[in-house]
Amino acid sequence: GRGGRGGRGGGRGGGGSSEADVLEAAVKLFTGEVDLGTEQPMWRYMDFEGAIQGPFPAKSMIEWFQAGYLSDSAIQVCGTERKVSAPNLPPPDFYMPLGALIFWVRRGHRFTAITVADIQSKNLPQELATLKESAAKAFEGVTKEKEKAMEKLEEKTEKAPPSEDAKKVARAEPERTLSVKRSDVSWAEADEADIIGFSDTVAMLSLASESERG
């Protein structure tokens, strides 16, 4: 077996979030909760042009995250065991939004690196496949909500030229509309996920669904 891949950790914690909480989850994600550096996952990510960058050790990913270079929740990442190398490299569909993975870890899951066997079988482990599907739905929902918010903002601007103060309030409105309201549902457990919140600044995605069981 895979030793309880992605097994649940301790308590689930509160529904709120802070930069410290998110950093803690990011460290757990990048290290796979393994102390020995040589046993930690190696990470690759897709840059804005779709090219694969890496592999990079957990230490580098944590440093870049702290420095704000990985603040985009939508950046696609993939953590693998160290012996992963050409020709057995993770395909594009093994990459997942960093924000989704951090959210998932924060809810008590443990990330286990993608293995050579996973890559050769061309099958993403089930719990990560479920998370990826939920993430796709969430980002689709976020995009639609942002479009609606911008349409409303444009309508208001067309009706009456606002003052500079009013413009500042209007620009902030879409982000307020999309601010995180709930973070009680695990990506991997949500059967029907309805996105209601998004926050790039803390690299978190928030899903609202049925009340959590247990």
mmCIF file of all heavy atoms in Angstrom, residues 170-211:
data_model
loop_
_atom_site.group_PDB
_atom_site.id
_atom_site.type_symbol
_atom_site.label_atom_id
_atom_site.label_comp_id
_atom_site.label_asym_id
_atom_site.label_seq_id
_atom_site.Cartn_x
_atom_site.Cartn_y
_atom_site.Cartn_z
ATOM 1 N N ALA A 170 -15.822 51.431 -5.658
ATOM 2 C CA ALA A 170 -16.342 50.545 -6.703
ATOM 3 C C ALA A 170 -15.321 49.491 -7.092
ATOM 4 O O ALA A 170 -15.656 48.331 -7.323
ATOM 5 C CB ALA A 170 -16.737 51.369 -7.930
ATOM 6 N N ARG A 171 -14.029 49.902 -7.176
ATOM 7 C CA ARG A 171 -12.986 48.933 -7.536
ATOM 8 C C ARG A 171 -12.840 47.847 -6.480
ATOM 9 O O ARG A 171 -12.499 46.718 -6.776
ATOM 10 C CB ARG A 171 -11.646 49.661 -7.732
ATOM 11 C CG ARG A 171 -11.524 50.365 -9.075
ATOM 12 C CD ARG A 171 -10.085 50.707 -9.373
ATOM 13 N NE ARG A 171 -9.549 51.669 -8.437
ATOM 14 C CZ ARG A 171 -9.577 52.983 -8.613
ATOM 15 N NH1 ARG A 171 -10.134 53.481 -9.706
ATOM 16 N NH2 ARG A 171 -9.055 53.802 -7.718
ATOM 17 N N ALA A 172 -13.084 48.208 -5.232
ATOM 18 C CA ALA A 172 -12.948 47.238 -4.143
ATOM 19 C C ALA A 172 -14.146 46.314 -4.052
ATOM 20 O O ALA A 172 -14.068 45.238 -3.491
ATOM 21 C CB ALA A 172 -12.774 47.972 -2.817
ATOM 22 N N GLU A 173 -15.270 46.726 -4.642
ATOM 23 C CA GLU A 173 -16.514 45.963 -4.482
ATOM 24 C C GLU A 173 -16.440 44.525 -4.983
ATOM 25 O O GLU A 173 -16.871 43.602 -4.295
ATOM 26 C CB GLU A 173 -17.667 46.707 -5.169
ATOM 27 C CG GLU A 173 -19.021 46.067 -4.902
ATOM 28 C CD GLU A 173 -20.173 46.910 -5.439
ATOM 29 O OE1 GLU A 173 -20.010 48.136 -5.587
ATOM 30 O OE2 GLU A 173 -21.211 46.321 -5.711
ATOM 31 N N PRO A 174 -15.882 44.281 -6.191
ATOM 32 C CA PRO A 174 -15.807 42.880 -6.643
ATOM 33 C C PRO A 174 -15.035 41.993 -5.680
ATOM 34 O O PRO A 174 -15.409 40.852 -5.430
ATOM 35 C CB PRO A 174 -15.103 42.994 -7.999
ATOM 36 C CG PRO A 174 -15.402 44.377 -8.463
ATOM 37 C CD PRO A 174 -15.419 45.217 -7.210
ATOM 38 N N GLU A 175 -13.930 42.518 -5.123
ATOM 39 C CA GLU A 175 -13.139 41.712 -4.203
ATOM 40 C C GLU A 175 -13.910 41.460 -2.907
ATOM 41 O O GLU A 175 -13.806 40.395 -2.320
ATOM 42 C CB GLU A 175 -11.806 42.411 -3.904
ATOM 43 C CG GLU A 175 -10.864 42.469 -5.102
ATOM 44 C CD GLU A 175 -10.636 41.106 -5.724
ATOM 45 O OE1 GLU A 175 -10.482 40.123 -4.979
ATOM 46 O OE2 GLU A 175 -10.632 41.007 -6.965
ATOM 47 N N ARG A 176 -14.686 42.455 -2.452
ATOM 48 C CA ARG A 176 -15.507 42.239 -1.258
ATOM 49 C C ARG A 176 -16.552 41.181 -1.529
ATOM 50 O O ARG A 176 -16.831 40.309 -0.714
ATOM 51 C CB ARG A 176 -16.203 43.547 -0.845
ATOM 52 C CG ARG A 176 -15.381 44.443 0.049
ATOM 53 C CD ARG A 176 -16.288 45.350 0.866
ATOM 54 N NE ARG A 176 -17.225 46.078 0.028
ATOM 55 C CZ ARG A 176 -16.927 47.187 -0.627
ATOM 56 N NH1 ARG A 176 -15.714 47.681 -0.581
ATOM 57 N NH2 ARG A 176 -17.838 47.806 -1.361
ATOM 58 N N THR A 177 -17.129 41.251 -2.724
ATOM 59 C CA THR A 177 -18.156 40.278 -3.096
ATOM 60 C C THR A 177 -17.594 38.868 -3.084
ATOM 61 O O THR A 177 -18.282 37.910 -2.738
ATOM 62 C CB THR A 177 -18.683 40.592 -4.516
ATOM 63 O OG1 THR A 177 -19.198 41.918 -4.525
ATOM 64 C CG2 THR A 177 -19.781 39.613 -4.922
ATOM 65 N N LEU A 178 -16.319 38.742 -3.449
ATOM 66 C CA LEU A 178 -15.694 37.427 -3.568
ATOM 67 C C LEU A 178 -14.845 37.058 -2.360
ATOM 68 O O LEU A 178 -14.100 36.108 -2.390
ATOM 69 C CB LEU A 178 -14.824 37.391 -4.835
ATOM 70 C CG LEU A 178 -15.597 37.584 -6.136
ATOM 71 C CD1 LEU A 178 -14.630 37.821 -7.270
ATOM 72 C CD2 LEU A 178 -16.491 36.400 -6.418
ATOM 73 N N SER A 179 -14.953 37.853 -1.289
ATOM 74 C CA SER A 179 -14.129 37.574 -0.118
ATOM 75 C C SER A 179 -14.515 36.236 0.495
ATOM 76 O O SER A 179 -15.637 35.765 0.342
ATOM 77 C CB SER A 179 -14.292 38.683 0.928
ATOM 78 O OG SER A 179 -15.625 38.733 1.388
ATOM 79 N N VAL A 180 -13.575 35.617 1.189
ATOM 80 C CA VAL A 180 -13.811 34.301 1.772
ATOM 81 C C VAL A 180 -14.880 34.383 2.858
ATOM 82 O O VAL A 180 -14.759 35.153 3.792
ATOM 83 C CB VAL A 180 -12.509 33.731 2.369
ATOM 84 C CG1 VAL A 180 -12.786 32.429 3.102
ATOM 85 C CG2 VAL A 180 -11.497 33.509 1.260
ATOM 86 N N LYS A 181 -15.937 33.616 2.702
ATOM 87 C CA LYS A 181 -17.035 33.612 3.667
ATOM 88 C C LYS A 181 -17.080 32.316 4.468
ATOM 89 O O LYS A 181 -17.525 32.296 5.601
ATOM 90 C CB LYS A 181 -18.371 33.826 2.942
ATOM 91 C CG LYS A 181 -18.451 35.176 2.256
ATOM 92 C CD LYS A 181 -19.742 35.303 1.474
ATOM 93 C CE LYS A 181 -19.783 36.634 0.723
ATOM 94 N NZ LYS A 181 -20.975 36.759 -0.121
ATOM 95 N N ARG A 182 -16.703 31.221 3.838
ATOM 96 C CA ARG A 182 -16.677 29.945 4.543
ATOM 97 C C ARG A 182 -15.472 29.154 4.096
ATOM 98 O O ARG A 182 -15.067 29.226 2.952
ATOM 99 C CB ARG A 182 -17.938 29.119 4.242
ATOM 100 C CG ARG A 182 -19.183 29.596 4.950
ATOM 101 C CD ARG A 182 -20.309 28.613 4.693
ATOM 102 N NE ARG A 182 -19.985 27.282 5.170
ATOM 103 C CZ ARG A 182 -20.686 26.206 4.849
ATOM 104 N NH1 ARG A 182 -21.722 26.300 4.072
ATOM 105 N NH2 ARG A 182 -20.350 25.017 5.323
ATOM 106 N N SER A 183 -14.898 28.380 5.002
ATOM 107 C CA SER A 183 -13.806 27.479 4.611
ATOM 108 C C SER A 183 -13.947 26.188 5.401
ATOM 109 O O SER A 183 -13.005 25.657 5.922
ATOM 110 C CB SER A 183 -12.446 28.135 4.879
ATOM 111 O OG SER A 183 -12.338 28.521 6.231
ATOM 112 N N ASP A 184 -15.186 25.708 5.498
ATOM 113 C CA ASP A 184 -15.474 24.550 6.325
ATOM 114 C C ASP A 184 -15.544 23.244 5.543
ATOM 115 O O ASP A 184 -15.708 22.184 6.126
ATOM 116 C CB ASP A 184 -16.816 24.736 7.053
ATOM 117 C CG ASP A 184 -16.792 25.940 7.975
ATOM 118 O OD1 ASP A 184 -15.689 26.272 8.432
ATOM 119 O OD2 ASP A 184 -17.842 26.515 8.216
ATOM 120 N N VAL A 185 -15.468 23.321 4.221
ATOM 121 C CA VAL A 185 -15.669 22.117 3.417
ATOM 122 C C VAL A 185 -14.382 21.709 2.719
ATOM 123 O O VAL A 185 -13.716 22.531 2.116
ATOM 124 C CB VAL A 185 -16.772 22.359 2.363
ATOM 125 C CG1 VAL A 185 -16.967 21.118 1.514
ATOM 126 C CG2 VAL A 185 -18.077 22.722 3.060
ATOM 127 N N SER A 186 -14.020 20.467 2.855
ATOM 128 C CA SER A 186 -12.810 19.966 2.206
ATOM 129 C C SER A 186 -13.068 19.783 0.721
ATOM 130 O O SER A 186 -14.093 19.270 0.307
ATOM 131 C CB SER A 186 -12.422 18.618 2.816
ATOM 132 O OG SER A 186 -11.446 18.001 2.017
ATOM 133 N N TRP A 187 -12.096 20.208 -0.095
ATOM 134 C CA TRP A 187 -12.219 20.021 -1.548
ATOM 135 C C TRP A 187 -12.484 18.561 -1.876
ATOM 136 O O TRP A 187 -13.338 18.245 -2.689
ATOM 137 C CB TRP A 187 -10.903 20.421 -2.218
ATOM 138 C CG TRP A 187 -10.658 21.885 -2.305
ATOM 139 C CD1 TRP A 187 -10.243 22.702 -1.305
ATOM 140 C CD2 TRP A 187 -10.819 22.714 -3.445
ATOM 141 N NE1 TRP A 187 -10.127 23.981 -1.756
ATOM 142 C CE2 TRP A 187 -10.468 24.007 -3.064
ATOM 143 C CE3 TRP A 187 -11.218 22.473 -4.759
ATOM 144 C CZ2 TRP A 187 -10.502 25.072 -3.954
ATOM 145 C CZ3 TRP A 187 -11.232 23.527 -5.629
ATOM 146 C CH2 TRP A 187 -10.887 24.809 -5.235
ATOM 147 N N ALA A 188 -11.739 17.694 -1.252
ATOM 148 C CA ALA A 188 -11.802 16.282 -1.636
ATOM 149 C C ALA A 188 -13.083 15.609 -1.173
ATOM 150 O O ALA A 188 -13.417 14.537 -1.635
ATOM 151 C CB ALA A 188 -10.607 15.539 -1.066
ATOM 152 N N GLU A 189 -13.826 16.231 -0.233
ATOM 153 C CA GLU A 189 -15.028 15.604 0.293
ATOM 154 C C GLU A 189 -16.308 16.211 -0.266
ATOM 155 O O GLU A 189 -17.375 15.656 -0.125
ATOM 156 C CB GLU A 189 -15.059 15.717 1.823
ATOM 157 C CG GLU A 189 -13.979 14.891 2.501
ATOM 158 C CD GLU A 189 -13.972 15.102 4.005
ATOM 159 O OE1 GLU A 189 -14.660 16.023 4.470
ATOM 160 O OE2 GLU A 189 -13.286 14.343 4.682
ATOM 161 N N ALA A 190 -16.224 17.375 -0.884
ATOM 162 C CA ALA A 190 -17.421 18.058 -1.346
ATOM 163 C C ALA A 190 -17.995 17.338 -2.563
ATOM 164 O O ALA A 190 -17.351 17.187 -3.581
ATOM 165 C CB ALA A 190 -17.086 19.493 -1.695
ATOM 166 N N ASP A 191 -19.252 16.880 -2.437
ATOM 167 C CA ASP A 191 -19.901 16.210 -3.555
ATOM 168 C C ASP A 191 -20.364 17.234 -4.596
ATOM 169 O O ASP A 191 -20.127 17.091 -5.777
ATOM 170 C CB ASP A 191 -21.093 15.389 -3.064
ATOM 171 C CG ASP A 191 -20.657 14.265 -2.153
ATOM 172 O OD1 ASP A 191 -19.587 13.698 -2.413
ATOM 173 O OD2 ASP A 191 -21.367 13.971 -1.201
ATOM 174 N N GLU A 192 -21.054 18.285 -4.114
ATOM 175 C CA GLU A 192 -21.508 19.355 -4.990
ATOM 176 C C GLU A 192 -20.936 20.645 -4.456
ATOM 177 O O GLU A 192 -21.409 21.196 -3.473
ATOM 178 C CB GLU A 192 -23.048 19.412 -5.020
ATOM 179 C CG GLU A 192 -23.704 18.195 -5.653
ATOM 180 C CD GLU A 192 -23.373 18.078 -7.137
ATOM 181 O OE1 GLU A 192 -23.107 19.106 -7.767
ATOM 182 O OE2 GLU A 192 -23.373 16.951 -7.653
ATOM 183 N N ALA A 193 -19.882 21.140 -5.090
ATOM 184 C CA ALA A 193 -19.188 22.312 -4.569
ATOM 185 C C ALA A 193 -19.693 23.588 -5.241
ATOM 186 O O ALA A 193 -19.698 23.698 -6.446
ATOM 187 C CB ALA A 193 -17.691 22.160 -4.813
ATOM 188 N N ASP A 194 -20.128 24.534 -4.435
ATOM 189 C CA ASP A 194 -20.596 25.811 -4.947
ATOM 190 C C ASP A 194 -19.640 26.893 -4.467
ATOM 191 O O ASP A 194 -19.555 27.180 -3.283
ATOM 192 C CB ASP A 194 -22.021 26.096 -4.421
ATOM 193 C CG ASP A 194 -22.511 27.462 -4.845
ATOM 194 O OD1 ASP A 194 -22.095 27.914 -5.918
ATOM 195 O OD2 ASP A 194 -23.299 28.069 -4.105
ATOM 196 N N ILE A 195 -18.890 27.477 -5.392
ATOM 197 C CA ILE A 195 -17.874 28.451 -4.996
ATOM 198 C C ILE A 195 -18.524 29.765 -4.589
ATOM 199 O O ILE A 195 -19.376 30.271 -5.273
ATOM 200 C CB ILE A 195 -16.869 28.687 -6.139
ATOM 201 C CG1 ILE A 195 -15.717 29.578 -5.673
ATOM 202 C CG2 ILE A 195 -17.508 29.276 -7.371
ATOM 203 C CD1 ILE A 195 -14.788 28.915 -4.723
ATOM 204 N N ILE A 196 -18.140 30.293 -3.448
ATOM 205 C CA ILE A 196 -18.644 31.602 -3.048
ATOM 206 C C ILE A 196 -17.529 32.547 -2.645
ATOM 207 O O ILE A 196 -17.779 33.705 -2.351
ATOM 208 C CB ILE A 196 -19.638 31.490 -1.870
ATOM 209 C CG1 ILE A 196 -18.952 30.891 -0.636
ATOM 210 C CG2 ILE A 196 -20.868 30.726 -2.258
ATOM 211 C CD1 ILE A 196 -19.785 30.993 0.618
ATOM 212 N N GLY A 197 -16.296 32.084 -2.634
ATOM 213 C CA GLY A 197 -15.245 32.993 -2.185
ATOM 214 C C GLY A 197 -13.892 32.700 -2.796
ATOM 215 O O GLY A 197 -13.585 31.581 -3.155
ATOM 216 N N PHE A 198 -13.078 33.740 -2.900
ATOM 217 C CA PHE A 198 -11.741 33.565 -3.476
ATOM 218 C C PHE A 198 -10.819 34.639 -2.929
ATOM 219 O O PHE A 198 -11.189 35.795 -2.843
ATOM 220 C CB PHE A 198 -11.837 33.687 -4.993
ATOM 221 C CG PHE A 198 -10.535 33.402 -5.705
ATOM 222 C CD1 PHE A 198 -10.009 32.128 -5.692
ATOM 223 C CD2 PHE A 198 -9.869 34.395 -6.384
ATOM 224 C CE1 PHE A 198 -8.836 31.845 -6.353
ATOM 225 C CE2 PHE A 198 -8.696 34.129 -7.047
ATOM 226 C CZ PHE A 198 -8.177 32.847 -7.039
ATOM 227 N N SER A 199 -9.632 34.300 -2.516
ATOM 228 C CA SER A 199 -8.691 35.298 -2.027
ATOM 229 C C SER A 199 -7.289 34.970 -2.490
ATOM 230 O O SER A 199 -6.679 34.020 -2.039
ATOM 231 C CB SER A 199 -8.722 35.377 -0.496
ATOM 232 O OG SER A 199 -7.705 36.211 -0.025
ATOM 233 N N ASP A 200 -6.766 35.746 -3.446
ATOM 234 C CA ASP A 200 -5.418 35.527 -3.955
ATOM 235 C C ASP A 200 -4.372 35.815 -2.881
ATOM 236 O O ASP A 200 -3.341 35.155 -2.811
ATOM 237 C CB ASP A 200 -5.142 36.443 -5.148
ATOM 238 C CG ASP A 200 -5.793 35.940 -6.414
ATOM 239 O OD1 ASP A 200 -5.858 34.720 -6.612
ATOM 240 O OD2 ASP A 200 -6.231 36.772 -7.203
ATOM 241 N N THR A 201 -4.637 36.806 -2.037
ATOM 242 C CA THR A 201 -3.616 37.278 -1.112
ATOM 243 C C THR A 201 -3.168 36.220 -0.128
ATOM 244 O O THR A 201 -2.047 36.234 0.337
ATOM 245 C CB THR A 201 -4.106 38.504 -0.329
ATOM 246 O OG1 THR A 201 -5.334 38.175 0.332
ATOM 247 C CG2 THR A 201 -4.345 39.670 -1.266
ATOM 248 N N VAL A 202 -4.058 35.288 0.217
ATOM 249 C CA VAL A 202 -3.674 34.240 1.152
ATOM 250 C C VAL A 202 -3.615 32.874 0.484
ATOM 251 O O VAL A 202 -3.525 31.856 1.130
ATOM 252 C CB VAL A 202 -4.643 34.182 2.360
ATOM 253 C CG1 VAL A 202 -4.529 35.416 3.194
ATOM 254 C CG2 VAL A 202 -6.076 33.962 1.919
ATOM 255 N N ALA A 203 -3.686 32.888 -0.857
ATOM 256 C CA ALA A 203 -3.611 31.642 -1.631
ATOM 257 C C ALA A 203 -4.597 30.612 -1.133
ATOM 258 O O ALA A 203 -4.260 29.458 -0.889
ATOM 259 C CB ALA A 203 -2.184 31.069 -1.612
ATOM 260 N N MET A 204 -5.849 31.024 -0.955
ATOM 261 C CA MET A 204 -6.888 30.129 -0.453
ATOM 262 C C MET A 204 -8.091 30.143 -1.369
ATOM 263 O O MET A 204 -8.429 31.158 -1.947
ATOM 264 C CB MET A 204 -7.349 30.570 0.947
ATOM 265 C CG MET A 204 -6.314 30.394 2.011
ATOM 266 S SD MET A 204 -6.017 28.670 2.407
ATOM 267 C CE MET A 204 -7.522 28.289 3.285
ATOM 268 N N LEU A 205 -8.746 29.007 -1.466
ATOM 269 C CA LEU A 205 -10.022 28.910 -2.156
ATOM 270 C C LEU A 205 -11.039 28.407 -1.148
ATOM 271 O O LEU A 205 -10.750 27.525 -0.358
ATOM 272 C CB LEU A 205 -9.934 27.914 -3.320
ATOM 273 C CG LEU A 205 -9.030 28.371 -4.451
ATOM 274 C CD1 LEU A 205 -8.664 27.182 -5.324
ATOM 275 C CD2 LEU A 205 -9.724 29.425 -5.268
ATOM 276 N N SER A 206 -12.242 28.965 -1.186
ATOM 277 C CA SER A 206 -13.249 28.585 -0.209
ATOM 278 C C SER A 206 -14.472 28.008 -0.917
ATOM 279 O O SER A 206 -15.017 28.623 -1.820
ATOM 280 C CB SER A 206 -13.672 29.796 0.625
ATOM 281 O OG SER A 206 -14.653 29.431 1.548
ATOM 282 N N LEU A 207 -14.882 26.811 -0.503
ATOM 283 C CA LEU A 207 -16.049 26.157 -1.091
ATOM 284 C C LEU A 207 -17.181 26.105 -0.075
ATOM 285 O O LEU A 207 -16.957 25.824 1.088
ATOM 286 C CB LEU A 207 -15.712 24.713 -1.492
ATOM 287 C CG LEU A 207 -14.713 24.540 -2.624
ATOM 288 C CD1 LEU A 207 -14.460 23.068 -2.836
ATOM 289 C CD2 LEU A 207 -15.247 25.162 -3.879
ATOM 290 N N ALA A 208 -18.393 26.347 -0.542
ATOM 291 C CA ALA A 208 -19.561 26.181 0.312
ATOM 292 C C ALA A 208 -20.358 25.012 -0.229
ATOM 293 O O ALA A 208 -20.632 24.927 -1.402
ATOM 294 C CB ALA A 208 -20.427 27.441 0.306
ATOM 295 N N SER A 209 -20.736 24.092 0.641
ATOM 296 C CA SER A 209 -21.483 22.908 0.216
ATOM 297 C C SER A 209 -22.359 22.458 1.371
ATOM 298 O O SER A 209 -22.690 23.261 2.249
ATOM 299 C CB SER A 209 -20.502 21.822 -0.201
ATOM 300 O OG SER A 209 -21.171 20.678 -0.647
ATOM 301 N N GLU A 210 -22.720 21.199 1.379
ATOM 302 C CA GLU A 210 -23.506 20.663 2.478
ATOM 303 C C GLU A 210 -22.701 20.744 3.765
ATOM 304 O O GLU A 210 -21.485 20.764 3.738
ATOM 305 C CB GLU A 210 -23.864 19.201 2.219
ATOM 306 C CG GLU A 210 -24.715 18.993 0.973
ATOM 307 C CD GLU A 210 -24.948 17.504 0.736
ATOM 308 O OE1 GLU A 210 -24.498 16.712 1.581
ATOM 309 O OE2 GLU A 210 -25.581 17.179 -0.264
ATOM 310 N N SER A 211 -23.382 20.779 4.898
ATOM 311 C CA SER A 211 -22.675 20.828 6.182
ATOM 312 C C SER A 211 -21.783 19.607 6.286
ATOM 313 O O SER A 211 -22.149 18.502 5.878
ATOM 314 C CB SER A 211 -23.684 20.822 7.332
ATOM 315 O OG SER A 211 -24.453 22.001 7.275
#
